Amino acid sequence: MSGPHWRRVMAALANHDARTAYAQIVLGAKLPEEISELNDQRRNRAVAALLESGLVERNAASELAAPETIFRDLLTQQPRRQAQTGVARFMRLGRIERYPANMAERRELLAWIVSEAIEPGERLTEKRVNERLLSYTDDVVMLRRYMIDFGLLERTPSGSSYSRPEER
């Protein structure tokens, strides 16, 4: 990878001596007065960390200078967001962001939620089902209805309990 790397920059800025030296260099101080309170060894280590990270560089006069483009360069290194696959395409932060228009994909999403929220053989009241589905959406009534319509959740005729259908 060419140019500065964010980990090296952050490591340099996490070091008190390097951070102090960087601040002074940005403000235009010349070596060695910018970090005069440090002994030679600490000063050299701080400057070496700044040079290695790319936070500072030597100009034509061999003086230390802080390039103005470093942070812009670091931001261009951000990786592109990877395309999501499977049910993750329809979720955001663990909640349903949108329901798929494609019925096979919608069934896949609903089946995944049922498998996560309700154990096989478990019988739940409507209140308990709603509590569990609330972590996936605010509209638990619609989600529960979709699950019933797709045959992924069964309701007793009295409506007193819900369960996953028995495996056949």
Side-chain angles (χ1 to χ4, degrees), residues 39-136:
N39 65 36
D40 287 342
Q41 183 181 11
R42 285 179 62 190
R43 182 182 312 118
N44 291 340
R45 273 198 312 245
V47 170
L50 293 172
L51 287 166
E52 181 181 315
S53 71
L55 280 166
V56 299
E57 53 192 31
R58 295 206 181 269
N59 62 19
S62 199
E63 299 169 331
L64 293 175
E68 295 181 13
T69 61
I70 185 164
F71 297 105
R72 186 172 346 122
D73 294 344
L74 288 172
L75 288 172
T76 62
Q77 292 177 11
Q78 290 299 317
R80 297 276 182 228
R81 192 170 164 194
Q82 296 293 319
Q84 294 181 324
T85 59
V87 297
R89 296 185 327 250
F90 310 108
M91 307 287 285
R92 180 172 170 88
L93 302 174
R95 294 177 57 85
I96 299 169
E97 183 174 50
R98 64 186 174 88
Y99 287 97
N102 178 293
M103 289 302 143
E105 291 176 334
R106 185 175 296 187
R107 180 177 182 70
E108 180 185 4
L109 172 66
L110 297 171
W112 179 80
I113 293 171
V114 166
S115 71
E116 291 287 313
I118 302 170
E119 295 294 322
E122 188 174 29
R123 292 193 118 12
L124 302 169
T125 64
E126 184 175 305
K127 181 179 178 182
R128 288 292 293 149
V129 170
N130 290 348
E131 288 171 356
R132 292 191 187 178
L133 298 181
L134 192 57
S135 64
Y136 299 97

Side-chain angles (χ1 to χ4, degrees), residues 4 8-38 42-43 45-57 64-72 74:
R8 285 194 301 270
V9 169
M10 294 307 292
L13 292 175
N15 177 291
H16 180 267
D17 294 344
R19 190 172 55 248
T20 301
Y22 181 66
Q24 294 297 320
I25 292 166
V26 167
L27 294 173
K30 306 284 184 255
L31 264 181
E33 64 264 11
E34 75 268 8
I35 41 179
S36 58
E37 73 274 4
L38 300 179
R42 285 179 62 190
R43 182 182 312 118
R45 273 198 312 245
V47 170
L50 293 172
L51 287 166
E52 181 181 315
S53 71
L55 280 166
V56 299
E57 53 192 31
L64 293 175
E68 295 181 13
T69 61
I70 185 164
F71 297 105
R72 186 172 346 122
L74 288 172

Side-chain angles (χ1 to χ4, degrees), residues 107 110 142-153:
R107 180 177 182 70
L110 297 171
M142 183 169 68
L143 178 56
R144 193 180 66 235
R145 170 56 45 205
Y146 281 158
M147 290 174 171
I148 291 169
D149 289 349
F150 277 88
L152 300 168
L153 189 63

